[in-house]
Amino acid sequence: MSNLKQIKSALISVFDKTNLEPIIEKLNNLGIQIYSTGGTKQFIEKFGVNVFAVEDLTDYPSILGGRVKTLHPKVFGGILARRDNVSDKEQLGQYQIPEIDLVIVDLYPFEDTVASVAAEQDIIEKIDIGGISLIRATAKNFKDTLIVSSKNQYSDLLEILEANEGKTSIEERKSFALEAFNVSSHYDTAIFNYFNNEKQSQVFKQSVISGTELRYGENPHQKGVFFGKIADVFDQLHGKQISYNNLLDIEAAVQLIAEFNETTFAVLKHNNACGIASRGKLVDAWNDALAGDPVSAFGGILISNKEVDLKSAIEIDKIFYEVIIAPSYNYDALELLKKKKNRIILIQKMFEFPDKQYRSMLNGALVQDRDLKMEVVADLKTATNKTPSKEEIEDLLFANKLVKHSKSNTIVLAKNKQLCASGVGQTSRVDALKQAITKANNFRFNLKGAIMASDAFFPFADSVQIASEAGIASVIQPGGSVKDQESIDYCNKSGMTMVFTGTRHFKH
């Protein structure tokens, strides 16, 4: 450590006073002069510590309902003065401005106030002015001053104070300045996004205050970091650290399962469902989901929208998988599932996902609305002479949820609310269909009476012809091709039914 500087004075002004007491005690023991104002001053004085009021320093009271307290040259001059600058030192003496070596400050809880759906005036009052100014000023002058901008730094501050009896190094001050600018830039981004919520200026600003380093990225030679608070979405009950690829699959899984109200189990691999079924009992949903592709299920991600019971857990435990997600687990089921050391067991919390999606692209970013559209019976337009049966409509809607959450081009074949097979990520719709048929046949599914779903329209009638020859009875697709009539004519000729949704669900 180098360039050690003694802390002789400190300004403390915080909204949240949690864990502040040990700091106050240590500063007092070191004989450091403390300046403070308002509620913070009263809090410090409760411990019998002498505090110099900022109002006495500036000869101005707190005004405008507390909006102006520390914004004064006698405060900011003491923070920003360069200790090795002769002119700065002379001006401090001329205007009787004391040096301030340490600033402990936090910010009004703007994001929490917005999240509470407070009135606009309450939100505006939580835009911090004095605090943000103190943070920036102290961080700018890190050569001479130390800024503590979060209560999360209190333990680090205590270590520094104890280790060097109130002296700080340039490395420590610069590190704290880095965190201060992290705090201030995040705060300003949150304020901008609040104001931009209605106007929607074509500006991209996002900020996540902290990240979690992952074992690696998509591949071992790539570094990976998750920015966000995964604990807000899941409780991890067991298992190893969640990986980059786990997170991609988990995101796909929770978005898919959110479409289903009926008891449903899904198995995902590389962001696509390789098995899914809706049934009256969870164990039946699991067994039928697994039957969709028991080979791909190995090492997959499992997700249920109902509590996992022991009977289901016994069956689930027969295969190897990376992650299981459910809203809850009964005690015996959880004890069984936890017997595998590395198995990741998650409880999904009630959480509202963002309605925007972001992706880095070239030298910038792509932003779009999340695909929140999901068709219901009223959205279906029968295109053929024959109308689908009630059971077929249920399967059509079931399969349509799957194509929405599968990589394009995609075709889904389903029957009795069970995925028979899908063709995903293909460069042609015909190839996707052929892949799905081959896969269904390999796992001995009888496609007679099954339905076919497509994420986009059929440019020609070849797909419905291939499907008909495989036994497919009904089709759901967006429609919109200039050659829709060719597909309609073939369906009418072969006795198939087909409905249009009017909505494409590409996913890349």
Side-chain angles (χ1 to χ4, degrees), residues 413 420-421 435-447:
L413 306 180
C420 299
Q435 181 190 60
I437 292 171
T438 299
K439 193 172 182 181
N441 289 335
N442 287 343
F443 292 115
R444 302 184 183 282
F445 279 99
N446 180 3
L447 293 179

Side-chain angles (χ1 to χ4, degrees), residues 421-439:
S422 61
V424 298
Q426 299 301 302
T427 52
S428 85
R429 206 151 299 282
V430 169
D431 285 345
L433 173 57
K434 288 180 177 178
Q435 181 190 60
I437 292 171
T438 299
K439 193 172 182 181

Side-chain angles (χ1 to χ4, degrees), residues 41-339:
K41 177 177 178 292
Q42 295 173 12
F43 179 82
I44 297 172
E45 289 175 332
K46 288 194 307 183
F47 304 108
V49 174
N50 291 324
V51 185
F52 198 96
V54 169
E55 293 86 349
D56 293 337
L57 172 65
T58 63
D59 288 329
Y60 270 89
S62 174
I63 62 173
L64 307 181
R67 282 188 166 198
V68 180
K69 290 181 284 191
T70 57
L71 295 168
H72 194 281
K74 282 202 170 182
V75 174
F76 282 85
I79 293 170
L80 286 165
R82 292 158 290 189
R83 308 316 196 241
D84 59 356
N85 185 291
V86 175
S87 177
D88 285 5
K89 296 282 283 186
E90 288 176 350
Q91 289 182 57
L92 290 182
Q94 179 183 354
Y95 297 107
Q96 297 182 327
I97 300 173
E99 293 179 356
I100 297 176
D101 307 310
L102 167 65
V103 174
I104 303 173
V105 63
D106 64 4
L107 300 172
Y108 292 154
F110 178 81
E111 289 179 282
D112 291 343
T113 307
V114 172
S116 71
V117 198
E120 182 173 74
Q121 187 55 43
D122 294 330
I123 292 171
I124 299 304
E125 288 304 316
K126 288 299 184 290
I127 297 177
D128 206 307
I129 303 300
I132 202 82
S133 301
L134 289 169
I135 286 174
R136 291 177 63 84
T138 314
K140 176 179 179 176
N141 200 28
F142 69 87
K143 284 183 63 179
D144 298 304
T145 58
L146 178 68
I147 176 63
V148 178
S149 54
S150 167
K151 64 182 180 183
N152 296 329
Q153 297 176 299
Y154 286 178
S155 59
D156 293 335
L157 175 61
L158 272 175
E159 287 183 14
I160 291 171
L161 294 174
E162 291 171 354
N164 295 303
E165 296 185 340
K167 296 185 181 72
T168 64
S169 69
I170 185 66
E171 293 86 0
E172 290 165 341
R173 296 192 298 275
K174 193 169 186 178
S175 176
F176 275 66
L178 170 65
E179 179 59 23
F181 285 120
N182 181 23
V183 169
S184 65
S185 62
H186 176 81
Y187 196 77
D188 286 339
T189 298
I191 295 169
F192 171 81
N193 285 333
Y194 169 75
F195 280 94
N196 195 43
N197 189 48
E198 293 182 6
K199 185 179 179 182
Q200 291 291 305
S201 299
Q202 297 303 306
V203 177
F204 179 71
K205 289 183 185 292
Q206 291 296 316
S207 174
V208 181
I209 200 71
S210 61
T212 300
E213 187 169 345
L214 305 173
R215 284 174 288 160
Y216 50 80
E218 202 161 6
N219 299 292
H221 62 277
Q222 295 171 271
K223 183 178 179 180
V225 180
F226 174 70
F227 291 97
K229 297 180 180 178
I230 199 166
D232 289 348
V233 187
F234 301 104
D235 284 329
Q236 182 167 352
L237 305 182
H238 185 72
K240 61 185 179 181
Q241 182 191 21
I242 297 172
S243 72
Y244 183 100
N245 290 328
N246 288 157
L247 285 169
L248 293 177
D249 283 328
I250 288 168
E251 160 78 6
V254 297
Q255 296 296 339
L256 172 62
I257 206 71
E259 305 284 5
F260 296 88
N261 294 319
E262 188 176 352
T263 300
T264 302
F265 221 120
V267 184
L268 287 89
K269 197 76 171 286
H270 296 292
N271 314 148
N272 295 296
C274 57
I276 184 169
S278 296
R279 294 290 182 263
K281 295 181 179 180
L282 188 65
V283 66
D284 295 332
W286 160 251
N287 286 328
D288 287 345
L290 179 63
D293 187 346
V295 175
S296 295
F298 182 87
I301 305 292
L302 316 184
I303 188 164
S304 165
N305 61 355
K306 304 296 180 186
E307 180 176 272
V308 175
D309 55 22
L310 179 60
K311 191 172 183 180
S312 301
I314 290 171
E315 296 301 314
I316 294 166
D317 198 52
K318 294 177 180 178
I319 72 162
F320 167 74
Y321 56 90
E322 289 269 346
V323 181
I324 183 169
I325 309 165
S328 59
Y329 305 81
N330 77 18
Y331 177 82
D332 292 332
L334 182 60
E335 290 302 301
L336 173 62
L337 298 177
K338 286 168 66 175
K339 289 184 177 180

